[in-house]
Amino acid sequence: VNYQNYQSADYKELIEWWRLINRQLAKTIDHIPAHKLQYICVTKDPHTLERLIDDYIQHMNHHLKQITG
């Protein structure tokens, strides 16, 4: 994060960038076949793809609340 220099960026550009990236991710998620959501992804601990998607959405909602107050 430090090297991306977000603290010096225009906040409107950051919000637009964040919105566009998450919009594309949402479109991608919408096209994942249901049976593939149960695939296991190995990170530090194994989780289903569905669990990782749910965790990401919760994490992004947390940041959205930080932005909107």
Side-chain angles (χ1 to χ4, degrees):
V1 170
N2 288 338
Y3 298 129
Q4 292 172 333
N5 200 26
Y6 291 131
Q7 64 274 14
S8 297
D10 179 285
Y11 79 93
K12 289 180 182 179
E13 287 180 11
L14 286 177
I15 291 171
E16 181 64 7
W17 176 77
W18 183 83
R19 186 185 71 78
L20 291 170
I21 285 176
N22 283 289
R23 178 187 237 182
Q24 181 58 41
L25 284 171
K27 288 178 182 181
T28 301
I29 290 166
D30 283 344
H31 288 90
I32 298 172
H35 71 279
K36 292 192 176 188
L37 293 173
Q38 297 312 308
Y39 281 15
I40 300 297
C41 301
V42 179
T43 55
K44 181 178 176 184
D45 298 310
H47 297 287
T48 64
L49 178 56
E50 182 175 39
R51 171 72 190 275
L52 292 176
I53 291 168
D54 288 342
D55 284 349
Y56 180 80
I57 292 168
Q58 287 178 14
H59 185 78
M60 289 298 103
N61 282 329
H62 167 75
H63 286 299
L64 186 57
K65 287 178 187 173
Q66 288 179 315
I67 293 168
T68 61

